[in-house]
Each structure stands twice: as structure tokens, then as C-alpha cells.
Amino acid sequence: MDYKQLGLTKQELVEMYRMMRLIRVFEENAIAYFKQGIVIGNMHMYIGEEAVATGVCKALTKEDYIASNHRCDGHLIAKGADINAMMAELMGKENGICGGRAGKMHQSAPEVGLLSANGIVGASQTLGTGHALYCSLFAPGRVSVAFFGDGGSNQGAFHESMNMAAVWKLPVIFVCENNHYAISTNVNTATAMGSFYQRAAAYGVPGVRVNGNNAIEVYAAAKQAVERARRGEGPSFIECDTYRLRGHHEGDEQTYRTREEIDEVIKNNDCINNMKKLLVAEFGWSEEEDAAMIKSIEDQVAAAVQFGIEGEPMKVEDMESNLYAE
Amino acid sequence: MKKIMYREAIASALAEEMRRDEKVFVMGEDVAITGGVFKATKGLLDEFGPARVRNTPLSEWAIAGVATGAAMCGARPVAEIMHVDFIGCCFDIILNQMSKMCYKTNGKVNVPIVLRTQGGRGRSNGCTQSQSLEALFTQVPGLKVVMPSTPYDAKGLLKTAIRDNNPVVFIEHKGLYQTKGEVPEQEYTIPLGKADIKRYGKDVTIISYSKSVLVALDAAKELEAKGIDVEVLDLRSLVPLDWDAITESVTKTGRVIICHEAAERGGYGAEIAAQIADKLFDELDAPVVRVCGANIPVPNATLPEIESAPTVKKLVDAAMRICKGGARNG
Ligand SMILES: Cc1ncc(C[n+]2csc(CCOP(=O)(O)OP(=O)(O)O)c2C)c(N)n1
């Protein structure tokens, strides 16, 4: 389906474009400050995959839940999390989104429905299914999305979550971000089919594969799945064929792939370019408009960096708090 | 007062809490039609229906993980893992998800879940269905760990566990389900972190929990005939631990035996012994001793199964040994 059939307006497309750029600029800044030792931790960047979070979250409301994994920045930002608090979190600051104790992989923004990112590959699938169980019992009409990678798709949690969600008709959308690698392991050496959407049929779940670098294609699939879930018809599975443009983490030597392979995606299938081309072709999006947008995003992210830098580091005296809830 | 079975006490706690709070629900393998393989959820399906008494696929990772995900949103699931031995199939959820959620989110997301399970030997179920694994849980910050020994405690503690806003691992004992005890008709709860003196005495304290408390009480009877007056302190909850009760009892008796069915090496008794050595050294008249499970898988055959756990004889021998110097003066 193209954007017209989906009823997307120019303004909505521009917003999606801006969202992808915001995620990218946020992460580019995180990398820059990581190199200076101001941002700390294990940096799994989402750069290249922005269309997935953007397209999926466009189909959701604030009240819907999402369960995220280690590559979580895009999910958080697209769901509407506070980027100031996120940047501060990456710096281990008290004004961070979890007071500095979570760090990059464990961020949480319940105010926008993202209860927890996760350092355990596979966890988002069972937890996201659990959010959907809550919706089905206590908040009918709300849905949940579980984001996970091609690596995470080979965990047992994939099977157990899909099976339970299907048999209970839970309102969950399983979004597999197939970026072709789990650290160094190519997807074709990790699953004999090389892709995952075919598996869905075995659970009685509709499964599709889309170009994950095309936000409109992702949105179209997500919209359909979300509507189905809201109607109480159960889970769906969306495999987003995407590509990470950075290493698995910052500092990854990437001996498992060639520069040409990366450049090929940048040149022909970068999600931001894909959307920009559409805006130019359909709405005459100009370089001036583009530059103005980029400038406003850079200012927004600079403010987030400033917010983080000005924050107080998390205190040792506070490290024992909140182990238990009241 | 009416006497009911331990398993009935569990079922009645669940029913009362489900009536009180619609967010409470039960999920697990075979919990619905049969009422669970130990009948501890019997009657719930009829009263509450399949949406709140959820029969799951055979799928421990999903049972623990999906229940945790629901609890993160504000549900109050009581998820059942049929045997504690099966915890290996879902341990990530306990180790990294439910236990760490409140801490890592700085208190923004909490997990009000009860993970009900049961362990222990005594039915010749062999090495993968007879273990006592509480030390796996007490080692994980962020969990609470409860192990009741009587129907009265089981009911009052389970009700409190369900109301607690934190993950509680509630470990029953397969050898206790048929035991009977007095349980009031009117509602009551028991706070977590409050030990209970199951027998008062002045010469030696046996610190125990779960089914080993019954062994300790039998040993106390034999020791009484030998002139040794035993106090049996039932911890009831391991985390939080009632340190005040331990301090008071040990200060009175000066002699301590720690008794649990779990393997001795690295067991929870080692933690208690270390804390006593650290904080109550001056109160001791004898070394702290442990009467615990053998450091082997639980054997299936009857006598080895019994002898690899604490027995009355072992407790009596231990008490005789440390009371050689006679009762405490003053
Ligand atoms: C249970 C578990 N196993 C291994 C790891 C280490 N690890 C972190 S990310 C990763 C690769 C994950 O690949 P995928 O799910 O495809 O996500 P991607 O990193 O490609 O976004 C691995 C092996 C982990 N964090 N958790």
C-alpha cells in the first residue's frame, strides 16, 4: 500500500521523517560523547533501523505498551520518551530517565508505555506478551508490541511467547528487526530459512515480511496488525528486513562484513533517504526545508546533551534505594 | 478452630484474594480443571472462570515471563511453577526480570507477582522433582522468599504475598500439602519477615523453615526426655529475614542448630550461621552447627531419600553434642 491508500498526509509523512532524523541525530551525539567518555556503557546503536520504530509506533497510542531490547533508543524516542532524560541516563546522571542506574540497555519510560528495555536477548518477547495479557484482561482495546532481533528470534522465548499469545489470542504484535546480524553471526548461518515470518503460520498467526527501511511499509503492516489486535483477534508477526549501519556496539571491528556491504545499503536503501525521496517527489520537499528541519533537530538534541551534562552524577549514597517497592 | 489441610489453606487464600481484588489471577500448568497436581488451586476455576484461572501450555519461560509482563502493567498474577526444580526453564525471568525491575527503573515499574512453587523430597520423585532450591532465590536481590510450614502460616503469608508490591517466591513443600492444622474462619494475614516460635525452650535454638520445622519439633520432643529444652524458631520468610527473632532466641539459649532440607553447601543456613558468628558471637556457648541436606542429588530409593535430609536422629545427636556442657547458667 502506498501512503495515499494509507491516508497519510504530508504532515504525517514529514513527522515520520523528522522522527527518523531525530533518532539518528540523538544517537550520533551519543556516539560523539561516548568517544569523549561522557556517555558511558555498551553502545548498541539503532542507526539504519529508524524506520522500524517510527513506522510501528506511528500505529500506536501513548497508552499502548511496547517491550524493548538492548537496541532501544529508537523504540523509546519513537514512543515519545523524554530525550533529555534519556541522554542524561546515558551519562549516568541523577536526572536520567532511571536516575542513572539503568544505563543504555535498561531504560524505562512507563509514561509512554515503554516499561523496560532489556539486556537479555529474548526477554522482550515474554514481557511484551505479558503486557498484552494485561490489556486483554484489564484494558481491552489496548495493544502491546514486542521488539526483538534476528538473534532474539532464535531464543526459546520466541516459541513460548508466540504460542501462548496465539492460543490466548493476546493483543500483541511481534516485531522482528532482522538486521541480518546478531553481533557477528549472519542470519543465514543461524536459521536455515534465513528469515522468520514463515514460522508464524505454525502458530496460527499471520506473518509478513516488509522492507524495514521503508517507514511507510512498516507502518502499513503495523496498522493492520494493531487493528486486528484491537479487535481481539490475536497476535501478528511482522519481520522487518533492515540493516544496522554501525557495528554491533561502538568499537566493534566488524570483521564479519565488508565496507561495500554497508555502503550499498547507505546508497540504495537508507530509511531516511527513502522517505526524503518520497517527500521530494510527491511534495517538492526542498533543501531549505530539509536544512531547517535538521537544524531544529540538532538544537533539540544539543539541549538534551546540555541537560545531561548539567545533571549530577548518580550518588553512591542512593545506590541502595528502590530495590523494593513500598 | 477448624482444621484444614495445607493445600486447602493455599486454595482458600487464593480464593479470598481473588474475591477481594479483580487484578489477582492465577496461571500455570494444569491449575484449572484438576486444581493443580497438588490440588492447591482446587475450586478456583468454578468460582472465577478460565480468564482468571488460566491453564497454560507447558511453557515455564512463558508462564514466568508473561506473568511478569502483566504484573509490570499492574496486574497481580499468582504464577505457578509446578516443581521448583523446573525453575531452570525460566530462571532468567526470576534472575533478571522480576527481581531487577523496580531497582533498574528507579522505582517507576514494580512487579507485584507471586511465583508459587513447591519443592522438597519425600515422595520418591527422584533428583529432578525433589529439590530444595531456596538459596538460588535468596541470592538474588529484589526478591522476597517465603516458605511456610503450617496451614495457618501458608494462608496468612500467601495473602500478604499477593498484596505485596514486589516479586515473592512462595515455596510450598510437597510433603506438607496433606498436613492439617487450625485455621480461623475469619480473615487474617501474617506479615512477611516475622518468624514464629513454634516451641519455646531455653537450652538450644533450632532455626528452621518449611517441612524441616516438623522434624525439629519431633526432635524437640525426644530431647525433652533427655533433659534438653529446645526452642524451635520457624523463619517462615527467608527474605526479609527476622533478625530480631534470631537475636532474641540465640541470646536466650546460646546454642544454635540450623536445619534445612536443601544441600548444606552454600545453603541459606550458611548465611544465617555467618550472620550469627558476626553479630552474636559473644552470646554463643557452642559452635553454630547445621543439620541440612547432603551435598548430592536427591536419591530416589526410600531410605537414601530420607537419610540425605535432616532427620530427628541427626538433630538429637547434634543437640546432644553442643549441649554437652549442660544447660546455660543464668
Ligand atoms: C540471553 C542473551 N544472550 C546473549 C546476549 C549477548 N548479546 C547481546 S546483543 C546480542 C545479539 C542480538 O542480536 P539480535 O537479537 O539480532 O539484535 P541486534 O543486536 O542485531 O539488534 C547478543 C548475542 C545477551 N545480551 N543476552
Side-chain angles (χ1 to χ4, degrees):
Chain A
M1 269 204 269
D2 68 17
Y3 77 92
K4 283 183 203 140
Q5 289 165 298
L6 289 163
L8 290 170
T9 62
K10 176 188 174 192
Q11 193 195 331
E12 284 176 296
L13 295 172
V14 170
E15 277 165 12
M16 289 169 85
Y17 178 57
R18 188 180 195 284
M19 180 58 78
M20 291 191 280
R21 281 221 180 267
L22 175 63
I23 296 168
R24 189 160 300 187
V25 173
F26 178 90
E27 288 209 323
E28 284 165 352
N29 273 263
I31 294 168
Y33 286 91
F34 176 70
K35 286 183 176 155
Q36 296 176 39
I38 294 170
V39 159
I40 52 177
N42 203 349
M43 300 296 283
H44 305 102
M45 308 326 288
Y46 198 65
I47 290 175
E49 306 181 36
E50 295 92 339
V52 181
T54 300
V56 170
C57 292
K58 164 101 183 116
L60 302 175
T61 70
K62 216 168 212 172
E63 284 68 39
D64 293 323
Y65 293 107
I66 64 176
S68 179
N69 61 358
H70 55 289
R71 209 173 290 288
C72 57
D73 289 337
H75 308 147
L76 280 152
I77 296 174
K79 196 72 174 50
D82 175 0
I83 66 164
N84 290 2
M86 283 177 65
M87 192 63 90
E89 187 66 33
L90 303 191
M91 298 177 181
K93 298 298 183 72
E94 265 182 351
N95 57 350
I97 203 158
C98 294
R101 58 180 57 200
K104 173 102 166 60
M105 278 186 278
H106 304 103
Q107 296 177 72
S108 165
E111 57 283 358
V112 295
L114 195 161
L115 301 184
S116 178
N118 223 296
I120 301 297
V121 175
S124 62
Q125 303 171 43
T126 56
L127 298 182
T129 304
H131 301 344
L133 174 57
Y134 178 85
C135 297
S136 104
L137 282 172
F138 306 115
R142 270 199 232 173
V143 305
S144 162
V145 171
F147 288 104
F148 51 93
D150 45 288
S153 298
N154 290 327
Q155 284 282 35
F158 176 101
H159 162 71
E160 294 201 27
S161 306
M162 289 274 283
N163 185 57
M164 191 178 275
V167 80
W168 288 355
K169 283 197 169 10
L170 298 180
V172 54
I173 297 97
F174 295 100
V175 177
C176 169
E177 302 179 302
N178 180 354
N179 62 15
H180 296 228
Y181 294 94
I183 309 188
S184 68
T185 302
N186 187 288
V187 64
N188 292 309
T189 69
T191 188
M193 298 290 278
S195 59
F196 302 94
Y197 70 101
Q198 306 95 322
R199 295 183 188 177
Y203 300 97
V205 169
V208 294
R209 179 171 161 118
V210 300
N211 177 1
N213 289 358
N214 182 323
I216 295 168
E217 258 192 58
V218 174
Y219 169 69
K223 184 169 180 285
Q224 201 178 2
V226 167
E227 283 166 2
R228 175 181 147 84
R230 288 203 207 285
R231 288 194 303 267
E233 290 171 18
S236 301
F237 182 87
I238 304 171
E239 176 173 355
C240 297
D241 183 12
T242 183
Y243 195 80
R244 71 167 150 71
L245 295 176
R246 306 286 306 177
H248 170 70
H249 52 77
E250 289 308 297
D252 178 1
E253 288 170 348
Q254 302 182 61
T255 45
Y256 49 85
R257 63 181 180 181
T258 61
R259 186 67 240 177
E260 292 71 52
E261 183 181 302
I262 304 168
D263 287 340
E264 162 70 20
V265 178
I266 293 175
K267 190 157 153 261
N268 295 322
N269 195 18
D270 176 70
C271 60
I272 290 178
N273 285 342
N274 286 347
M275 186 64 98
K276 184 174 169 180
K277 270 188 253 164
L278 179 88
L279 288 175
V280 171
E282 296 287 315
F283 303 102
W285 181 256
S286 70
E287 283 306 318
E288 291 72 48
E289 284 174 297
D290 212 48
M293 173 185 280
I294 292 169
K295 171 82 173 65
S296 91
I297 291 170
E298 279 169 353
D299 289 348
Q300 191 183 346
V301 174
V305 168
Q306 195 58 26
F307 181 83
I309 286 172
E310 283 169 3
E312 290 290 324
M314 175 184 164
K315 293 190 182 61
V316 173
E317 305 88 83
D318 290 339
M319 73 183 181
E320 299 204 355
S321 66
N322 283 324
L323 177 58
Y324 292 104
E326 294 279 293
Chain B
M1 219 184 292
K2 207 174 141 194
K3 283 196 169 182
I4 64 170
M5 279 189 271
Y6 187 93
R7 66 169 166 81
E8 293 169 327
I10 299 288
S12 99
L14 291 168
E16 283 181 19
E17 291 308 295
M18 289 174 79
R19 266 172 230 140
R20 187 186 56 80
D21 182 351
E22 61 142 26
K23 291 270 167 72
V24 179
F25 68 94
V26 167
M27 61 188 275
E29 291 162 15
D30 305 292
V31 297
I33 297 172
T34 62
V37 292
F38 296 99
K39 302 280 177 280
T41 54
K42 200 172 162 218
L44 298 181
L45 178 67
D46 286 345
E47 182 174 352
F48 301 101
R52 288 177 72 200
V53 183
R54 305 187 72 88
N55 211 63
T56 65
L58 200 168
S59 200
E60 280 80 14
W61 197 347
I63 293 169
V66 171
T68 296
M72 289 165 71
C73 302
R76 302 189 87 85
V78 181
E80 179 174 320
I81 299 296
M82 192 184 283
H83 286 260
V84 73
D85 316 65
F86 308 160
I87 211 73
C89 298
C90 58
F91 201 55
D92 173 63
I93 301 298
I94 291 120
L95 177 65
N96 291 314
Q97 308 305 331
M98 62 173 75
S99 55
K100 294 182 172 59
M101 203 56 70
C102 183
Y103 184 80
K104 76 173 182 180
T105 63
N106 209 13
K108 292 200 290 189
V109 178
N110 63 308
V111 184
I113 187 176
V114 177
L115 194 78
R116 266 193 61 239
T117 185
Q118 63 75 39
R121 70 194 82 197
R123 286 166 50 121
S124 286
N125 284 356
C127 56
T128 64
Q129 299 191 11
S130 303
Q131 297 173 83
S132 301
L133 299 175
E134 58 273 18
L136 297 182
F137 304 110
T138 58
Q139 179 64 19
V140 179
L143 300 175
K144 297 186 179 184
V145 182
V146 180
M147 296 186 74
S149 68
T150 67
Y152 177 87
D153 290 348
K155 180 169 179 184
L157 289 166
L158 182 53
K159 284 169 68 78
T160 308
I162 290 169
R163 296 177 194 190
D164 200 288
N165 285 324
N166 297 284
V168 180
V169 180
F170 193 92
I171 311 176
E172 297 151 20
H173 194 295
K174 63 173 68 60
L176 289 175
Y177 284 118
Q178 314 271 12
T179 59
K180 281 191 157 184
E182 289 186 340
V183 173
E185 303 266 337
Q186 59 287 19
E187 177 162 43
Y188 68 98
T189 57
I190 300 170
L192 307 188
K194 272 267 167 262
D196 183 44
I197 299 173
K198 288 288 193 293
R199 183 188 198 278
Y200 286 86
K202 61 176 174 19
D203 296 331
V204 55
T205 303
I206 301 180
I207 300 176
S208 190
Y209 51 85
S210 192
K211 192 173 173 229
S212 298
V213 170
L214 307 194
V215 184
L217 288 168
D218 286 345
K221 263 188 232 147
E222 272 198 30
L223 285 160
E224 191 177 1
K226 296 179 192 292
I228 296 174
D229 189 13
V230 176
E231 178 146 303
V232 177
L233 184 67
D234 180 357
L235 293 178
R236 301 198 292 194
S237 90
L238 311 191
V239 182
L241 176 66
D242 189 350
W243 181 249
D244 289 346
I246 293 176
T247 303
E248 202 173 308
S249 185
V250 173
T251 305
K252 178 167 69 174
T253 63
R255 293 184 170 84
V256 187
I257 300 170
I258 302 163
C259 176
H260 59 57
E261 212 180 301
E264 180 175 85
R265 185 176 56 229
Y268 196 59
E271 168 66 21
I272 300 170
Q275 288 201 40
I276 291 173
D278 185 10
K279 298 176 208 158
L280 298 173
F281 186 72
D282 292 340
E283 305 296 335
L284 293 174
D285 294 333
V288 175
V289 298
R290 285 177 292 165
V291 174
C292 298
N295 296 319
I296 54 170
V298 179
N300 199 72
T302 305
L303 274 180
E305 188 188 38
I306 293 169
E307 285 301 323
S308 56
T311 58
V312 169
K313 178 166 187 315
K314 287 185 212 172
L315 278 170
V316 169
D317 290 350
M320 297 295 285
R321 205 154 26 90
I322 60 171
C323 291
K324 256 200 304 251
R328 193 176 219 195
N329 302 320

